[in-house]
Amino acid sequence: MDVAAVQSQLIERINSGVLVVDQNCCLLYFNRFMESHSLLQASEVIGKNLFDIFPDAPQRWLQRKIQSVFMLNTPAFSSWEQRQFVFKMRHARPVTTSSEYMAQNITFIPICSDGQSEPDKVGIIVEDMTDVFFYQQKLKDTLKELEEVSRTDGLTKVSNRRYWEERFRIEFETAQRHEHDLSLIMFDLDKFKRINDEYGHQAGDLVLVKATELVQQILRKGDLLGRYGGEEFGIILPNTADKGAYELAERIRSQFSLLTMQHDNRSINATMSMGICQFDSRFTRFEDMVTRADLALYQSKREGRNQVTIYQA
Amino acid sequence: MNDITLTEDQRDCLQELINVAMGQASDKLARYLQTFVHLQVPYIELIDSTVLPERFAETYAEEGVSLVSQGFYGEKGILGESLLIYKSHDAHGIAEILGYEPDDVSEVEQLTDISSILTTTFLNGLAEQIDNQLAYSAPRVVSSMETPLEQHLQQLSFNWDLALKVDISYQVVDFSFNCDMVLLIPGEAIKNIQKVLDQILDEF
């Protein structure tokens, strides 16, 4: 086998870019991969300066890098994770990936002439990492979605209890540390079992969805609605005292009581009972606020439902 | 595997080879970086994989550190990994000498760049002493300021029991830049190094 002939064909046709430059960064070799991705012909770039051929390349940094290979006689590297590309080129998957330019891993290799111990050329190998780059992006997006799903209630799309409590703990600790106002509204749909029995469970689901939609519209940025369980919900109101919480709760209560929902050509009306507790520096845990808001909520129920009660110590 | 020990001759020989390689590296680095690079006397020991995380945690407990790893492999079964450890913000001054533009702010890339330079320059020198040729993997940031080193090391599973460990400290005084290099030559590769050392000792 003529090893040299095989090697030169391999390097010419390998699915990575191969360039060779001399000490002045003049191009001595430019393989087929480089030709087809840069849309340049070897015949027109050989003998020209690398930075004239790739004017977008980070010149100072790249020159210093190539210099290190010559001076230290060591390889050097560049990774797409830190620098997406050095040589601005199209990649081979323009249809099925979203990125415009080829993500590249690059290796710079010192090359010595026969019998010499110091390099007089640098070989540059450009690997197309677009696939990895693309899947990494996808993975990031998926992880974000997963995080979103793991904190959301499937039916109503509001925060689930686990995430809501996690956030409540943080808000509670902030209120403790900085003596900020903080209020909690707990609310519950009145006679929800009867809605389910009379109109069916799908109607019950609809009422939950409509109720949370309405609440979300009324809430301010920074407030957080969560499904506490069944038909019970909680609203965290940072920087809000019980008076402000009461006004907000009243608005929700009255608007919801006026809302007529449609299911299977039947009109459904529902109401909610609400309880409010504001932060007190004597509380030690956020659960102390939940218990007290619940007590106020039960009082609203006892006194005839469809009303708002503030917890009084 | 735990029956491996370094004889005094082997240790002295390795120490001598490292000293020569350090001298060469220091000289080359000084020319490339145009500043004096001080390499401190190396510390050589055999270390058990179980105590390594603990040892790291002790040495770098108080500060946020960044760790860059680069693998190397050569002929005669010589292989290992070089870890470069930077204490917080030691590396700021190097951006300029590596040709970064002021708006080029990737600290991670600067660390991988300088790590690769320090590792390959020293190891090429060492390889030359033992008539070997080394190839290198691309440097990777293993842990950074955001992910504590200790946490990271606890998650590592080592597939070796014992490693030959060489510690070298680098100081670039002009840029108040410091870092520690820890070479780890694990398992079987220790025996291969020992063979090479014995050969050199025989030739004396």
Side-chain angles (χ1 to χ4, degrees):
Chain A
M1 187 175 86
D2 181 352
V3 177
V6 172
Q7 278 173 344
S8 77
Q9 273 197 49
L10 273 177
I11 292 167
E12 184 63 17
R13 295 185 186 175
I14 197 170
N15 212 2
S16 295
V18 182
L19 306 81
V20 178
V21 295
D22 67 13
Q23 273 166 321
N24 300 317
C25 286
C26 272
L27 275 162
L28 302 172
Y29 180 71
F30 201 71
N31 78 342
R32 195 177 295 179
F33 179 95
M34 289 304 294
E35 286 187 320
S36 46
H37 289 86
S38 66
L39 306 177
L40 296 164
Q41 292 298 313
S43 55
E44 50 182 327
V45 301
I46 298 298
K48 297 222 173 94
N49 188 281
L50 182 66
F51 299 102
D52 292 334
I53 302 301
F54 293 101
D56 292 319
Q59 182 165 355
R60 249 185 97 218
W61 172 84
L62 185 55
Q63 242 165 358
R64 196 76 175 115
K65 191 142 241 186
I66 292 171
Q67 191 188 18
S68 81
V69 181
F70 278 118
M71 288 183 75
L72 304 171
N73 195 2
T74 59
F77 304 88
S78 170
S79 163
W80 65 271
E81 284 182 278
Q82 279 88 49
R83 195 179 286 269
Q84 197 189 333
F85 55 83
V86 173
F87 304 110
K88 202 168 177 178
M89 297 192 289
R90 305 275 164 188
H91 55 77
R93 288 190 55 195
V95 183
T96 49
T97 64
S98 53
S99 65
E100 197 178 351
Y101 297 108
M102 181 194 295
Q104 299 162 354
N105 269 358
I106 300 185
T107 312
F108 303 81
I109 300 173
I111 299 174
C112 305
S113 289
D114 278 346
Q116 299 297 308
S117 59
E118 292 301 315
D120 57 359
K121 298 177 215 55
V122 168
I124 303 173
I125 298 175
V126 182
E127 289 170 273
D128 185 350
M129 303 304 285
T130 306
D131 277 350
V132 182
F133 173 78
F134 177 67
Y135 290 122
Q136 186 91 345
Q137 289 299 115
K138 281 217 139 174
L139 182 66
K140 268 191 201 155
D141 293 347
T142 308
L143 284 176
K144 216 176 137 204
E145 256 170 56
L146 265 179
E147 199 188 319
E148 197 75 32
V149 167
S150 76
R151 56 163 75 153
T152 316
D153 172 56
L155 176 68
T156 60
K157 309 292 179 228
V158 303
S159 298
N160 61 20
R161 177 160 170 181
R162 190 188 55 78
Y163 178 65
W164 183 82
E165 287 192 326
E166 198 179 299
R167 286 281 308 274
F168 195 10
R169 183 174 294 119
I170 294 166
E171 291 298 344
F172 184 85
E173 283 165 6
T174 310
Q176 263 182 329
R177 207 171 316 126
H178 304 290
E179 295 179 19
H180 284 170
D181 282 333
L182 172 67
S183 286
L184 170 67
I185 302 174
M186 297 298 292
F187 69 89
D188 186 319
L189 290 160
D190 293 328
K191 297 184 175 168
F192 187 66
K193 191 176 176 307
R194 195 189 284 174
I195 298 173
N196 276 325
D197 291 345
E198 210 174 312
Y199 301 92
H201 283 280
Q202 286 182 345
D205 285 352
L206 176 79
V207 171
L208 292 176
V209 170
K210 291 288 174 195
T212 50
E213 277 175 8
L214 181 113
V215 173
Q216 294 283 46
Q217 279 167 23
I218 296 172
L219 290 187
R220 308 152 303 181
K221 207 174 156 225
D223 299 341
L224 186 73
L225 169 64
R227 188 171 181 187
Y228 196 74
E231 68 273 21
E232 189 172 3
F233 296 84
I235 308 170
I236 307 163
L237 305 167
N239 300 312
T240 308
D242 55 4
K243 192 168 166 291
Y246 184 83
E247 283 165 16
L248 200 73
E250 257 306 317
R251 210 152 68 234
I252 293 168
R253 185 205 59 76
S254 67
Q255 286 191 25
F256 184 64
S257 69
L258 298 173
L259 182 73
T260 303
M261 294 160 276
Q262 297 292 334
H263 181 75
D264 270 355
N265 295 322
R266 295 170 76 186
S267 298
I268 309 173
N269 281 85
T271 58
M272 50 177 70
S273 297
M274 312 179 92
I276 294 169
C277 174
Q278 78 167 344
F279 175 76
D280 186 307
S281 56
R282 285 168 297 183
F283 297 160
T284 54
R285 316 178 312 151
F286 77 89
E287 288 92 339
D288 293 337
M289 289 180 70
V290 177
T291 316
R292 285 166 177 79
D294 263 340
L295 285 172
L297 165 59
Y298 294 137
Q299 195 181 329
S300 293
K301 295 259 184 200
R302 265 200 313 277
E303 291 177 0
R305 300 188 179 86
N306 191 22
Q307 52 190 282
V308 182
T309 308
I310 298 178
Y311 172 80
Q312 307 286 356
Chain B
M1 190 67 79
N2 283 0
D3 55 343
I4 299 176
T5 49
L6 276 186
T7 66
E8 205 171 312
D9 279 350
Q10 287 171 338
R11 186 184 295 263
D12 288 346
C13 179
L14 181 60
Q15 176 89 49
E16 191 50 41
L17 295 173
I18 289 173
N19 284 345
V20 175
M22 277 170 47
Q24 286 179 353
S26 170
D27 182 50
K28 281 191 162 181
L29 289 170
R31 265 187 287 146
Y32 176 66
L33 301 173
Q34 292 177 339
T35 175
F36 188 68
V37 180
H38 185 69
L39 284 77
Q40 254 157 13
V41 182
Y43 180 71
I44 302 170
E45 65 173 333
L46 285 169
I47 190 166
D48 208 281
S49 64
T50 51
V51 299
L52 190 65
E54 206 180 304
R55 190 71 60 82
F56 268 86
E58 276 167 22
T59 318
Y60 303 104
E62 74 288 5
E63 292 131 302
V65 299
S66 297
L67 178 72
V68 179
S69 153
Q70 191 166 16
F72 58 89
Y73 52 96
E75 302 147 341
K76 301 170 206 158
I78 306 291
L79 58 88
E81 215 169 306
S82 159
L83 305 178
L84 272 281
I85 300 137
Y86 302 85
K87 295 179 182 173
S88 52
H89 301 106
D90 270 352
H92 270 327
I94 60 167
E96 176 59 26
I97 38 177
L98 294 179
Y100 281 86
E101 301 294 342
D103 56 346
D104 232 345
V105 286
S106 170
E107 202 171 315
V108 170
E109 189 179 24
Q110 292 163 22
L111 287 183
T112 52
D113 274 3
I114 191 75
S115 296
S116 186
I117 287 170
L118 299 179
T119 294
T120 57
T121 305
F122 169 72
L123 281 176
N124 268 11
L126 186 60
E128 204 179 301
Q129 302 300 308
I130 58 173
D131 198 19
N132 206 308
Q133 294 251 7
L134 293 179
Y136 304 90
S137 70
R140 287 196 69 89
V141 171
V142 176
S143 78
S144 58
M145 307 300 170
E146 294 82 46
T147 49
L149 179 63
E150 207 179 328
Q151 191 186 322
H152 183 83
L153 287 170
Q154 278 161 1
Q155 292 162 355
L156 281 183
S157 60
F158 297 100
N159 55 3
W160 46 270
D161 300 323
L162 203 64
L164 177 62
K165 174 168 162 282
V166 180
D167 294 2
I168 300 172
S169 282
Y170 287 79
Q171 287 179 343
V172 184
V173 182
D174 288 350
F175 293 89
S176 60
F177 163 80
N178 299 288
C179 73
D180 292 345
M181 180 163 89
V182 177
L183 294 178
L184 289 169
I185 297 169
E188 277 297 316
I190 307 173
K191 288 185 180 166
N192 299 328
I193 279 270
Q194 283 179 310
K195 268 182 229 154
V196 172
L197 294 175
D198 287 341
Q199 225 169 9
I200 294 171
L201 287 165
D202 280 350
E203 283 165 17
F204 262 111

